[in-house]
Amino acid sequence: MSDFLSRILTEIKPLDRKAMEAAKVRQDKLTKPKGSLGRLEELSIQVAGIKGKVIHSLEHKAIVTMAADHGVVSEGVSAYPQGVTGQMVFNFLNGGAGINILARFIGARVVVVDMGTVGDLPPHPNLICKKIAYGTKNMAREAAMSHSEAMKSIEAGIEIVEDEIAKGLDIVGTGDMGIGNTTASSAICAAITGEPVEELTGRGTGLANKQLAHKVEVIQKVLELNKPDPRDPIDVLAKVGGFEIGGLAGVMLGAAAHRVPVVVDGFISGAAALIAAKLSPRLKDYLIAAHLSAESGHKALLQYLGLMPLLDLRMRLGEGTGAALGIALVEAAVKTLAEMATFAEAGITKEKH
Amino acid sequence: MSDFLSRILTEIKPLDRKAMEAAKVRQDKLTKPKGSLGRLEELSIQVAGIKGKVIHSLEHKAIVTMAADHGVVSEGVSAYPQGVTGQMVFNFLNGGAGINILARFIGARVVVVDMGTVGDLPPHPNLICKKIAYGTKNMAREAAMSHSEAMKSIEAGIEIVEDEIAKGLDIVGTGDMGIGNTTASSAICAAITGEPVEELTGRGTGLANKQLAHKVEVIQKVLELNKPDPRDPIDVLAKVGGFEIGGLAGVMLGAAAHRVPVVVDGFISGAAALIAAKLSPRLKDYLIAAHLSAESGHKALLQYLGLMPLLDLRMRLGEGTGAALGIALVEAAVKTLAEMATFAEAGITKEKH
């Protein structure tokens, strides 16, 4: 492990229990029956623990959407051709994708990163280029990437989130784009959780039954060939992962090291969280699972992480679209804690018992 | 039934299938795998059917929060004293309650209505007074209200939403405040659905086990004494309802008659929806269930109505707090449909099959 990554991991500290207690005390003074805002109350307390204090707003919000290509698509595991990854990056930069609309809706900026698409994307003022390579190798024949590339992808993610923190960042959401990346995510999930591949593999962008069966076979072959070591998350990432997945793991670790809450999108971001949480057992406290994706396997993944999704809207678009909606709920939680009147302020009688 | 209510009921038309088809066609052209925005896509299609066209925004949003008192509280069914209803109305007017914070967060106005609190609230520019009576009667001894009062409460709700529509209203959320109103709501729900009272009765603002058992007994007594006729929703409202519940039923009917989508809050709003949907079988298409309340019975209530909640955050505050979060999701749905680029616009390859 690099010195840079080691340092970041040691900077991920436990949540601030005193701040959480202060948030809880304030929640119980607000003009509502105790606990009646349910998960909004829990979120407000978690955010206080992350920030080290009760905060009043989430002014600076960003979704980091990372794109990369996957050599394994040559095995016929996706309903879309590989060129769509780069085309969608343009769509992100032009503001026409789902994540652009939802990020604007919640007042967040979208940080678009090329972590390793197959083509050379023309420079654009809003495109961050951290290309580790021109797509991963076909992991059905060899490791997706080298150990060094896996490390680099994580470090690139840390650098990106640190740059965003320098600009102002109160909360970050994760997002992905990469034709073939549900295949890599299912492989990571199977390697780390040990659950059967069939149960962790879904239709991605829209496979039919026969294609889904083929995808399962490909992932089984990938795992048999590469034998990723579940105790070594860098090994898992290198053998069966993707550059955007490594990058998102880095975003999560870097954000946690700087006490920034991370709203995790769907299945691909979840796979990144599996890698990152294996590197830092404390990371989990900094994560908020935005939603349960319609992609099979996401439920088992979240259960393994011990995260409970906020939303279940049968979404499966990725890009950070679920994270955007999740951030809105976290902001609602922060604002209710900060802005509601207490019983004393409002002159209201408390409950009888 | 009054001529006014009859007219409103005849004005509730089927959804516009052509507008829904246009919305569906557009959804399938947007730069995402078909169906990958899940329930957001369904919401966008429902809203198009309600409005009669694909709309681009929800500029004018309101939460109508109706307050009233309940004579049945003298049976000891609530953890809070009756005076809290009026105190909370002041809190709404002063902007310190949960609903104020969440409405401001989503850009909605809060319309505060006194439908029948026990005291005389001093006039306030933002308080709408539609007091039907100084609280309902104790329904453990007699009918909660007269048939005429039940009609008046529904008509008051229609008038209020029509006034709001005159000011501009693209979507409305419902909210309630009334110490004792989970008791009335459970009674309505039992009368209409025929499910056992025990399964429809919850802890309200926070009853302990013994108090909950007592509440169940009181509701059983209420139903035996009053024998509300499940085929006659006005009879149910009159015998075991509340003024805010009748008012909210009116808001829903009036909104539907003017093709305004209604985001239904939790258990009390759900009881109002039961009354309203019995009056107009077409109403359901205009309703969007914001969330599953932590109050027991809400799940059965929503199943009876055939509504699937958008959120499940263990909230049970009422006031319209769940509706506010639901409106944000509907707005996200409307904006993705209106603003996302199509495959053709973005120059992106569609799926292979």
Side-chain angles (χ1 to χ4, degrees):
Chain A
M1 195 176 296
S2 70
D3 289 352
F4 178 43
L5 180 55
S6 297
R7 180 175 60 73
I8 287 292
L9 295 181
T10 61
E11 281 172 9
I12 301 176
K13 305 291 187 202
L15 297 192
D16 185 325
R17 296 286 149 189
K18 249 171 109 173
M20 293 174 82
E21 184 56 30
K24 177 76 172 75
V25 166
R26 179 164 167 82
Q27 278 291 2
D28 290 348
K29 286 181 186 168
L30 299 178
T31 46
K32 60 180 169 53
K34 274 185 196 180
S36 62
L37 280 176
R39 292 200 66 193
L40 292 193
E41 297 191 17
E42 294 165 10
L43 283 172
S44 75
I45 292 166
Q46 182 184 1
V47 170
I50 293 172
K51 298 284 190 187
K53 62 185 175 193
V54 172
I55 58 164
H56 289 77
S57 66
L58 294 171
E59 199 186 338
H60 303 288
K61 299 180 274 281
I63 309 280
V64 179
T65 302
M66 295 187 149
D69 276 307
H70 294 262
V72 74
V73 296
S74 59
E75 302 292 322
V77 290
S78 177
Y80 282 81
Q82 192 165 43
V84 169
T85 306
Q87 291 168 350
M88 281 300 297
V89 172
F90 284 113
N91 201 19
F92 299 150
L93 296 170
N94 291 330
I99 187 54
N100 300 107
I101 315 309
L102 293 178
R104 193 159 62 223
F105 178 58
I106 66 158
R109 60 189 190 264
V110 182
V111 180
V112 183
V113 186
D114 179 1
M115 287 297 298
T117 56
V118 288
D120 276 311
L121 301 171
H124 185 287
N126 293 327
L127 175 62
I128 298 172
C129 186
K130 290 275 183 182
K131 204 186 275 283
I132 309 296
Y134 290 88
T136 52
K137 302 223 170 77
N138 180 356
M139 63 185 180
R141 302 190 170 209
E142 59 190 309
M145 65 185 90
S146 68
H147 187 276
S148 147
E149 287 172 327
M151 283 299 304
K152 269 190 209 160
S153 70
I154 295 174
E155 290 174 357
I158 297 169
E159 284 165 13
I160 281 164
V161 82
E162 290 192 329
D163 286 351
E164 294 305 318
I165 289 165
K167 292 177 203 164
L169 187 66
D170 297 319
I171 192 164
V172 67
T174 62
D176 71 285
M177 178 67 221
I179 298 301
N181 68 9
T182 58
T183 299
S185 297
S186 291
I188 289 169
C189 194
I192 289 184
T193 69
E195 300 288 328
V197 171
E198 307 88 277
E199 287 171 28
L200 302 174
T201 305
R203 295 174 192 277
T205 48
L207 295 180
N209 286 344
K210 205 177 146 187
Q211 297 164 312
L212 175 61
H214 173 65
K215 183 176 170 184
V216 168
E217 277 170 30
V218 169
I219 295 169
Q220 283 166 335
K221 185 175 152 190
V222 160
L223 292 168
E224 281 158 29
L225 176 80
N226 288 287
K227 297 187 179 53
D229 178 355
R231 293 158 305 177
D232 179 356
I234 307 288
D235 187 63
V236 175
L237 175 62
K239 286 176 173 164
V240 304
F243 299 129
E244 81 281 46
I245 297 172
L248 291 172
V251 167
M252 294 177 197
L253 294 166
H258 294 276
R259 307 197 80 98
V260 172
V262 179
V263 180
V264 182
D265 194 36
F267 190 56
I268 287 85
S269 288
L274 285 176
I275 302 285
K278 277 276 164 189
L279 287 166
S280 165
R282 280 182 187 151
L283 175 71
K284 206 197 87 177
D285 293 344
Y286 291 81
L287 303 183
I288 295 159
H291 76 128
L292 180 65
S293 166
E295 180 73 1
S296 318
H298 194 219
K299 195 169 192 173
L301 188 161
L302 290 176
Q303 277 171 348
Y304 184 87
L305 283 168
L307 297 175
M308 176 85 83
L310 289 170
L311 291 154
D312 179 5
L313 299 172
R314 285 185 272 109
M315 289 166 61
R316 52 182 171 84
L317 176 53
E319 302 179 359
T321 48
L325 298 179
I327 286 173
L329 294 176
V330 179
E331 191 163 14
V334 164
K335 283 186 182 278
T336 43
L337 177 60
E339 298 178 15
M340 277 179 71
T342 62
F343 280 98
E345 285 162 1
I348 292 173
T349 319
K350 289 202 76 170
E351 74 249 66
K352 289 183 259 184
H353 52 93
Chain B
M1 194 175 296
S2 70
D3 290 349
F4 178 44
L5 180 54
S6 297
R7 182 175 59 74
I8 287 291
L9 295 181
T10 60
E11 283 171 9
I12 301 177
K13 306 291 186 202
L15 297 192
D16 185 327
R17 297 287 150 189
K18 249 172 109 174
M20 294 173 83
E21 183 56 30
K24 177 76 173 73
V25 166
R26 179 165 166 82
Q27 277 291 0
D28 290 347
K29 287 181 185 167
L30 300 178
T31 46
K32 59 179 169 51
K34 275 186 194 177
S36 62
L37 280 175
R39 292 200 67 193
L40 292 193
E41 296 191 17
E42 294 164 12
L43 284 172
S44 75
I45 292 167
Q46 182 184 0
V47 170
I50 293 172
K51 298 285 188 185
K53 61 185 177 193
V54 172
I55 57 164
H56 288 78
S57 66
L58 295 171
E59 199 185 339
H60 303 289
K61 299 179 275 280
I63 308 282
V64 179
T65 302
M66 295 188 147
D69 275 308
H70 293 262
V72 73
V73 296
S74 60
E75 301 291 323
V77 290
S78 177
Y80 282 81
Q82 191 164 45
V84 168
T85 306
Q87 292 168 349
M88 280 301 296
V89 172
F90 284 112
N91 200 20
F92 298 150
L93 296 170
N94 291 330
I99 188 53
N100 301 106
I101 315 309
L102 292 179
R104 193 159 62 223
F105 178 57
I106 65 157
R109 59 189 192 264
V110 183
V111 180
V112 183
V113 186
D114 179 1
M115 287 296 300
T117 57
V118 288
D120 277 310
L121 301 171
H124 185 287
N126 294 326
L127 175 62
I128 298 172
C129 187
K130 291 273 182 182
K131 203 186 278 281
I132 310 295
Y134 291 88
T136 52
K137 303 222 168 79
N138 180 357
M139 62 184 180
R141 303 190 171 209
E142 59 190 310
M145 64 184 91
S146 68
H147 188 277
S148 144
E149 286 172 329
M151 283 299 305
K152 268 191 210 158
S153 70
I154 294 174
E155 290 175 356
I158 297 169
E159 284 164 13
I160 282 163
V161 82
E162 289 192 329
D163 286 351
E164 294 304 319
I165 289 165
K167 292 177 202 162
L169 188 65
D170 297 317
I171 192 164
V172 67
T174 63
D176 71 284
M177 177 68 221
I179 297 301
N181 68 8
T182 58
T183 299
S185 297
S186 291
I188 289 170
C189 195
I192 288 184
T193 69
E195 300 286 328
V197 172
E198 307 88 277
E199 287 170 27
L200 302 174
T201 305
R203 295 171 192 279
T205 48
L207 295 180
N209 286 344
K210 206 178 146 185
Q211 298 163 311
L212 174 60
H214 174 63
K215 183 176 171 185
V216 169
E217 277 169 29
V218 169
I219 294 169
Q220 282 165 335
K221 187 174 152 190
V222 160
L223 292 169
E224 281 157 28
L225 177 77
N226 289 287
K227 297 186 179 52
D229 179 354
R231 292 158 305 176
D232 179 356
I234 307 288
D235 187 64
V236 175
L237 176 62
K239 285 175 173 165
V240 304
F243 300 128
E244 79 282 46
I245 296 172
L248 291 172
V251 167
M252 293 176 198
L253 294 167
H258 294 275
R259 306 195 80 97
V260 172
V262 180
V263 180
V264 183
D265 195 37
F267 190 56
I268 286 85
S269 288
L274 285 176
I275 302 286
K278 278 276 163 191
L279 287 166
S280 165
R282 281 184 186 150
L283 176 70
K284 207 198 86 177
D285 293 344
Y286 291 81
L287 303 182
I288 295 160
H291 75 127
L292 179 66
S293 166
E295 181 73 1
S296 317
H298 193 220
K299 196 169 191 172
L301 188 160
L302 290 176
Q303 277 171 349
Y304 183 87
L305 283 168
L307 297 175
M308 176 85 83
L310 289 170
L311 291 155
D312 179 6
L313 298 172
R314 283 184 274 109
M315 288 165 62
R316 52 180 171 84
L317 176 52
E319 302 179 359
T321 48
L325 298 180
I327 287 174
L329 294 177
V330 179
E331 190 163 14
V334 164
K335 283 185 182 279
T336 43
L337 177 60
E339 299 178 14
M340 277 179 72
T342 62
F343 280 98
E345 286 162 0
I348 292 173
T349 319
K350 288 202 77 169
E351 73 247 68
K352 288 183 261 184
H353 52 93

